Amino acid sequence: MTDAAAGQPLVVYGEINLAYDFGPDHPLTPRRFGPSIELLRAIGAANLGEPRVASDDELQRLHTRQYIRTVRNFSIDPWHHVPADGIGPGDCPPFEDMHEASAAIAGGSIDAVDRILTGEVQHAFNPGGGLHHAMAARASGFCIYNDVALAVARARDSGHRVLYVDLDVHHGDGTQALFWDDPQVLTFSVHETGTSLFPGTGFVDERGGDDALGTAVNVPMQPFSGDASWLAAVEQAVPALADAFRPTFLVSQHGCDTHAYDPLAHLRLTTAAYRAATALLDRIAHQHCEGRWLATGGGGYDAYRVVPRSWSLVWLAQAHRELPAQTPADWRANWLADAERFGQSPPPEDFIDPPDLVAAESPDAAALNAQTTERALAGALELLGRSDR
Ligand SMILES: [Zn+2]
Ligand SMILES: [Zn+2]
């Protein structure tokens, strides 16, 4: 570790992240890493560590042996298989070395937890992670192995009570399902409602299994909701849930497909909300978990305008750094041509979007969101208080 890196949060990144690639027409493009990692370095991130490939034993903590075999078969021969276990044409097409690329993302998140547990770092960030839709025996929604759930399991198996906060625009259905019956893990997800968006789940009445009631919490938002509703949900629910659940380890997923510019979903957030949410999570990590906090990336499909700044805001919160006045001019210049070539908007100057980027939320939608947040939180607190685990 260099002097500049000492004391910094760990950023998990290596060349192998670029191998997680479903093809040139797929929205989850590894082109996200170029501008995003360069921006992280430009604002001062120096403690970067390569992910390692998770072993089959590690993957089997949550995935079935049969499913891992399926992924391995596609990985060796992606061209001559009929679709199986969610892998096939569509969201999760097979590609060469898909097992190694996916297991490296998982290994990156698991390893980051280990480094937090040994005290090597307090906070870590795996931007290529956050593959929250993957199920025990099925790929889904661009996700092969559920790295972020495997990280939660690692912390949980070391005796921690884990609070999982999923900020992606899509419901964190895989992570919720994998800990549905586990009272030691509380999964919280705020997302666009499943009535208008994949995966179609994440409603308030999903509360966890009989022995873990209150440890699944969902706040589905109306389409076209903005910073005000979303941030109110996070600020009301997360600290209150932390007080009730008393976590000792925090894991968060920072999909930035909630952004107004994102092409795949219908929320209208700006980076101002990301700034506030990451600061809040940092406070929770120190207040409840002695700093133990793994953050991951997630969705986010505007590769130049949104993803780099979103990842930087996670790092700035973890590094306890002030917000730089602007994105570096050199960085913007370096990625301008690339953005143009792929028909994308240029990298922006401001880390924090101007408030007038989006129109105000409709009062009806805002009122509904407030009711939903209240109902989700009140129900969870009642169930958590009743069991008093
Ligand atoms: Zn901190
Ligand atoms: Zn997403």
Side-chain angles (χ1 to χ4, degrees), residues 263-302:
L264 292 198
H266 320 97
L267 293 193
R268 286 182 178 160
L269 267 58
T270 75
T271 53
Y274 302 166
R275 171 80 168 154
T278 50
L280 182 147
L281 290 176
D282 186 57
R283 283 199 301 277
I284 298 281
H286 291 284
Q287 200 180 330
H288 290 275
C289 309
E290 297 173 346
R292 289 180 288 265
W293 175 23
L294 170 67
T296 69
Y301 306 99
D302 193 315

Side-chain angles (χ1 to χ4, degrees), residues 158-232:
S158 304
H160 285 285
R161 294 170 64 80
V162 184
L163 173 62
Y164 170 74
V165 176
D166 191 312
L167 303 178
D168 195 279
V169 79
H170 301 96
H171 175 225
D173 58 340
T175 311
Q176 172 178 292
L178 292 164
F179 298 102
W180 186 250
D181 294 309
D182 191 338
Q184 295 288 109
V185 175
L186 189 151
T187 61
F188 169 82
S189 180
V190 56
H191 44 262
E192 180 178 339
T193 172
T195 55
S196 57
L197 191 70
F198 177 90
T201 52
F203 296 98
V204 171
D205 59 0
E206 295 166 36
R207 300 282 194 188
D210 285 346
D211 294 330
L213 279 170
T215 66
V217 185
N218 288 289
V219 184
M221 300 253 118
Q222 297 303 302
F224 312 113
S225 299
D227 286 0
S229 280
W230 187 88
L231 205 49

Side-chain angles (χ1 to χ4, degrees), residues 122-123 282 286 293 317-318 320:
Q122 277 199 317
H123 308 331
D282 186 57
H286 291 284
W293 175 23
Q318 289 202 326
H320 312 139

Side-chain angles (χ1 to χ4, degrees), residues 20 22 56 59-60 62-75 84-88 92 98-99 102 131 133-146 150 178:
Y20 194 79
F22 292 105
D56 284 17
L59 296 171
Q60 276 181 46
L62 296 176
H63 293 290
T64 65
R65 190 185 299 262
Q66 173 59 46
Y67 175 59
I68 297 167
R69 195 177 303 138
T70 300
V71 176
R72 280 187 171 281
N73 287 340
F74 277 117
S75 193
D85 299 347
I87 301 173
C92 303
M98 137 183 266
H99 168 79
S102 308
L131 302 179
H133 296 305
M135 297 287 177
R138 196 166 194 285
S140 174
F142 317 159
C143 303
I144 305 300
Y145 296 134
N146 196 323
L150 288 161
L178 292 164

Side-chain angles (χ1 to χ4, degrees), residues 56-131:
D56 284 17
D57 276 353
E58 287 175 321
L59 296 171
Q60 276 181 46
R61 170 65 175 80
L62 296 176
H63 293 290
T64 65
R65 190 185 299 262
Q66 173 59 46
Y67 175 59
I68 297 167
R69 195 177 303 138
T70 300
V71 176
R72 280 187 171 281
N73 287 340
F74 277 117
S75 193
I76 294 162
D77 180 7
W79 303 280
H80 302 290
H81 281 281
V82 289
D85 299 347
I87 301 173
D91 279 2
C92 303
F95 58 90
E96 204 174 356
D97 296 331
M98 137 183 266
H99 168 79
E100 287 74 16
S102 308
I105 296 172
S109 290
I110 293 168
D111 209 37
V113 168
D114 287 345
R115 291 174 187 224
I116 293 166
L117 291 174
T118 63
E120 181 188 323
V121 290
Q122 277 199 317
H123 308 331
F125 178 34
N126 183 8
L131 302 179

Side-chain angles (χ1 to χ4, degrees), residues 252-269:
S252 56
Q253 199 271 21
H254 296 260
C256 53
D257 39 10
T258 44
H259 198 279
Y261 289 146
D262 195 87
L264 292 198
H266 320 97
L267 293 193
R268 286 182 178 160
L269 267 58

